[in-house]
Amino acid sequence: MTGFFITFEGGEGAGKSTQIDRLRRRLEERGQSVIVTREPGGSPRAEEIRAFLLSGGAKPFGAFAEALLFYAARFDHLEHTIRPALMKGIHVLCDRFSDSTRAYQGASGNVDKHLIEGIERVVVGNNKPNLTLILDLPVEAGLRRADLRREGNGERVDRFEGEGLAFHERLRQAYLDIAANEPGRCVVIDADHDPDEVEASIWRAIQGRLPQLAAASRDAVAHGS
């Protein structure tokens, strides 16, 4: 079995990192090989681009320039991290992927969707996720969570967290539109609940959309892996 590619999407404070870690542990406990990665980033060169983007270095050049940099990082990430893992049968859990560019720079940044789709065809090709989990919650709740996380970790507001409420409302709607347009790949998860409930919803989505993965996990447990 080749590896499955599962991406997590959503606005600020949606709890992606928490749920990715929970899914990783659940799969590893069932004998599955898993790597966790992120975008922008996930490979050495892509991490360099990440630092520039999140510092706001590309913002003066506009949303289209940012989109190009995201796809440059994505190209390196796919080449050096995602594809090699999938070819070895390792499952990849990724914190954001191309849907983030479609939502942040496309719908929220007003970059023409046809331009983004054209770049995506070249960079991503057939390497679309098997499943995309969109963690959705009201914008105000997500921004409050993000504020609390930064306070606890001593972090500064990054390029996108610092945008206004209207930007984040457009972002949320963009993700819901993506899910509505691609229901075979995307599942919207209500993230406005405690982490245990969200985790349970994610596992139900995997059982429904990737039964091979759930079955492989059960087999691993049954054989003592």
Side-chain angles (χ1 to χ4, degrees):
M1 182 181 66
T2 57
F4 288 107
F5 183 21
I6 302 174
T7 57
F8 286 68
E9 297 282 359
E12 308 302 332
K16 296 186 289 25
S17 298
T18 296
Q19 294 303 327
I20 288 171
D21 188 59
R22 286 180 174 228
L23 180 57
R24 174 192 61 78
R25 284 187 279 124
R26 186 186 281 254
L27 292 174
E28 288 180 343
E29 287 168 358
R30 288 162 170 77
Q32 300 297 299
S33 297
V34 183
I35 65 166
V36 171
T37 188
R38 67 179 183 177
E39 288 212 348
S43 61
R45 290 178 180 173
E47 287 291 333
E48 293 177 7
I49 297 173
R50 175 189 179 89
F52 180 67
L53 282 165
L54 297 191
S55 71
K59 184 176 181 179
F61 301 100
F64 182 58
E66 285 185 324
L68 291 175
L69 286 169
F70 273 105
Y71 273 106
R74 186 162 298 132
F75 181 88
D76 195 71
H77 188 202
L78 281 162
E79 184 74 13
H80 296 285
T81 302
I82 296 173
R83 288 194 192 104
L86 294 174
M87 290 176 65
K88 293 175 183 176
I90 300 170
H91 308 308
V92 176
L93 309 182
C94 190
D95 186 343
R96 300 197 183 283
F97 193 61
S98 56
D99 291 314
S100 282
T101 309
R102 295 164 68 186
Y104 277 81
Q105 283 72 47
S108 300
N110 296 315
V111 176
D112 187 281
K113 70 174 184 177
H114 299 296
L115 287 174
I116 290 180
E117 288 169 357
I119 300 169
E120 184 170 337
R121 282 194 296 271
V122 173
V123 173
V124 177
N126 295 324
N127 297 118
K128 289 187 175 182
N130 298 102
L131 175 65
T132 296
L133 299 160
I134 297 176
L135 275 59
D136 176 66
L137 77 169
V139 168
E140 294 88 346
L143 293 177
R144 282 197 301 270
R145 286 185 186 179
D147 287 341
L148 290 171
R149 183 199 68 224
R150 284 194 302 273
E151 290 172 8
N153 298 333
E155 299 173 352
R156 299 176 61 183
V157 176
D158 71 25
R159 154 73 179 90
F160 300 103
E161 291 171 338
E163 291 287 348
L165 189 64
F167 175 93
H168 293 286
E169 292 286 2
R170 291 195 300 273
L171 180 67
R172 183 188 187 193
Q173 187 59 52
Y175 276 124
L176 294 175
D177 290 344
I178 289 169
N181 290 330
E182 297 189 53
R185 173 177 67 87
C186 300
V187 177
V188 177
I189 302 293
D190 186 351
D192 197 19
H193 293 288
D194 71 65
D196 290 344
E197 292 181 69
V198 177
E199 179 184 357
S201 296
I202 287 171
W203 188 246
R204 285 194 296 271
I206 288 171
Q207 289 175 311
R209 299 301 183 93
L210 297 179
Q212 313 97 306
L213 178 56
S217 297
R218 289 195 299 270
D219 290 345
V221 172
H223 290 87
S225 298

